[in-house]
Amino acid sequence: GFICFDSSVAGFGRRDRRVKVELLTMVLPYSTIIATVCSLSSSPITPMIKIAPGVSMTRVNLGTCCGSEVEKAFPAWWAAGGRGVDTALDYGKEVPGGKESELSAAIAKVGAPRDRLFITTKIRAGLDILHGLKFCIGLDADYAVTAVKANLAQLNVSQVDLVLLHAPCYSDQVNAKLWQGLEQALSQNLTRAIGVSNYPKKQLAALLAVAKTKPAINQCQMSVAQQEEEMLQFCAEQGIVFEAYAAMRGCPFDNIQVQSIAAAHSVGVAQVCLRWVLQKGAIMAIGLGSNATRMPSYAKANLDLYGFELSANEMATLDATGSPIRGGSCAQGY
């Protein structure tokens, strides 16, 4: 047999892949056979993924919403090798989480070069619906462009890498107008890519029917407990990258079978749950919580997901611990 080595991005570990081959004939040169076998082995999941023309995004990003502290979390994330961060204009205001101004200060504190950090942000469009209100704030393209500029001002940057509509409004026509605003922001180089968050299949399909630029991302809740199989499939069919948030929600820490899977790979149960997300074809935004003393170890573990691979049986075991979300829905949150 042969051993094919695959070196991933520096700092993210190294993976070896064993490929057994029986040489029934010697038709091909030895080196050609080795090269062919190595190229046919399944492609590894790497730390970066292409989301739009000329734009690659980190698969694992620091989440800053909903109880996740920012001022200490970002330095820990950066020190561990994290190069992607997810924020929103309303975090720390209408929605619990770290403010963009606090994130900006943390970025400056560690001296992170702008070109080495992937920044995702969101505009408030549709968020009021998640609060149970009937109407959306912001109904047109001008609002969307103005909101993107407000994000840039809070972050103290001239351009972000990705802007999302935070949630859909009830009206497909309003969603289309807001999307036109993001398309304008893209053409004005205020952002490198645009996408959506919390969009169910029906509303995403309606947007795709009128969009000039396809959403690069759809961001929904997804975890071992809440499995987004239908939305994952739809996004894959449309060439849209699915991004999970709340990826640790319901991780079965006390499940003996899952504990055994973690032990077999010499990793923690949390890493198994996050690796499951990656192998489902999703990327993620994941927070570090609010305990500053644990942030460095959490950051290191959350980024150390590329040195092991779950088998089909192990994936099935994890599948059985949760339940699928039906009907093309998108589990919504912040």
Side-chain angles (χ1 to χ4, degrees), residues 130-205:
L130 299 184
H131 284 300
L133 302 179
K134 186 176 181 180
F135 302 106
C136 278
I137 282 184
L139 300 177
D140 56 27
D142 288 343
Y143 163 79
V145 174
T146 299
V148 171
K149 291 179 179 178
N151 277 281
L152 300 183
Q154 288 292 307
L155 291 165
N156 195 28
V157 297
S158 59
Q159 182 191 60
V160 291
D161 299 288
L162 174 64
V163 177
L164 310 178
L165 297 179
H166 208 152
C169 295
Y170 288 124
S171 166
D172 289 338
Q173 289 73 28
V174 171
N175 291 331
K177 290 179 181 178
L178 293 168
W179 185 251
Q180 289 171 4
L182 288 199
E183 290 177 328
Q184 291 176 24
L186 182 65
S187 67
Q188 294 173 26
N189 292 319
L190 302 178
T191 180
R192 298 173 63 221
I194 53 178
V196 296
S197 180
N198 295 305
Y199 264 64
K201 179 179 177 181
K202 182 178 179 180
Q203 288 170 300
L204 183 55

Side-chain angles (χ1 to χ4, degrees), residues 17-38:
R17 295 173 162 264
R18 292 184 177 275
V19 182
K20 291 186 177 181
V21 179
E22 293 183 7
L23 298 179
L24 300 180
T25 66
M26 295 300 294
V27 177
L28 296 175
Y30 189 75
S31 59
T32 303
I33 293 174
I34 294 177
T36 302
V37 170
C38 291

Side-chain angles (χ1 to χ4, degrees), residues 101-156:
S101 57
E102 296 171 343
L103 174 60
S104 176
I107 292 171
K109 183 178 180 180
V110 301
R114 178 64 192 91
D115 61 356
R116 294 184 59 196
L117 179 64
F118 193 100
I119 300 177
T120 300
T121 190
K122 312 172 195 74
I123 65 171
R124 191 179 173 181
L127 190 63
D128 306 274
I129 302 303
L130 299 184
H131 284 300
L133 302 179
K134 186 176 181 180
F135 302 106
C136 278
I137 282 184
L139 300 177
D140 56 27
D142 288 343
Y143 163 79
V145 174
T146 299
V148 171
K149 291 179 179 178
N151 277 281
L152 300 183
Q154 288 292 307
L155 291 165
N156 195 28

Side-chain angles (χ1 to χ4, degrees), residues 57-327:
M57 178 178 178
T58 42
R59 287 186 194 266
V60 183
N61 302 272
L62 175 65
T64 60
C65 178
C66 312
S68 297
E69 198 275 348
V70 173
E71 293 173 290
K72 295 183 178 64
F74 182 79
W77 185 251
W78 182 262
R83 295 298 180 264
V85 62
D86 179 278
T87 184
L89 185 60
D90 35 43
Y91 286 176
K93 300 172 186 176
E94 292 86 3
V95 175
K99 295 179 181 179
E100 287 188 327
S101 57
E102 296 171 343
L103 174 60
S104 176
I107 292 171
K109 183 178 180 180
V110 301
R114 178 64 192 91
D115 61 356
R116 294 184 59 196
L117 179 64
F118 193 100
I119 300 177
T120 300
T121 190
K122 312 172 195 74
I123 65 171
R124 191 179 173 181
L127 190 63
D128 306 274
I129 302 303
L130 299 184
H131 284 300
L133 302 179
K134 186 176 181 180
F135 302 106
C136 278
I137 282 184
L139 300 177
D140 56 27
D142 288 343
Y143 163 79
V145 174
T146 299
V148 171
K149 291 179 179 178
N151 277 281
L152 300 183
Q154 288 292 307
L155 291 165
N156 195 28
V157 297
S158 59
Q159 182 191 60
V160 291
D161 299 288
L162 174 64
V163 177
L164 310 178
L165 297 179
H166 208 152
C169 295
Y170 288 124
S171 166
D172 289 338
Q173 289 73 28
V174 171
N175 291 331
K177 290 179 181 178
L178 293 168
W179 185 251
Q180 289 171 4
L182 288 199
E183 290 177 328
Q184 291 176 24
L186 182 65
S187 67
Q188 294 173 26
N189 292 319
L190 302 178
T191 180
R192 298 173 63 221
I194 53 178
V196 296
S197 180
N198 295 305
Y199 264 64
K201 179 179 177 181
K202 182 178 179 180
Q203 288 170 300
L204 183 55
L207 185 63
L208 285 168
V210 298
K212 294 180 181 178
T213 301
K214 179 174 62 180
I217 295 283
N218 187 22
Q219 189 185 81
C220 303
Q221 286 192 48
M222 174 181 161
S223 65
V224 170
Q226 292 181 304
Q227 300 172 14
E228 290 273 12
E229 297 290 349
E230 290 184 35
M231 183 55 74
L232 277 166
Q233 180 178 348
F234 180 71
C235 286
E237 290 169 352
Q238 301 300 321
I240 298 170
V241 175
F242 183 101
E243 183 174 15
Y245 65 88
M248 282 300 301
R249 186 167 295 167
C251 182
F253 287 97
D254 297 328
N255 185 294
I256 295 176
Q257 289 179 297
V258 178
Q259 290 174 352
S260 297
I261 292 171
H265 294 283
S266 300
V267 297
V269 171
Q271 289 170 287
V272 169
C273 289
L274 297 181
R275 177 70 195 192
W276 176 90
V277 171
L278 293 182
Q279 288 189 213
K280 285 292 182 178
I283 64 176
M284 73 184 81
I286 180 77
L288 299 181
S290 57
N291 188 328
T293 60
R294 295 183 178 181
M295 288 177 184
S297 61
Y298 285 168
K300 183 178 179 181
N302 290 353
L303 291 164
D304 188 16
L305 304 177
Y306 305 98
F308 68 102
E309 185 172 354
L310 301 174
S311 69
N313 287 338
E314 290 170 336
M315 289 291 287
T317 296
L318 288 158
D319 289 347
T321 68
S323 57
I325 296 171
R326 304 291 186 185

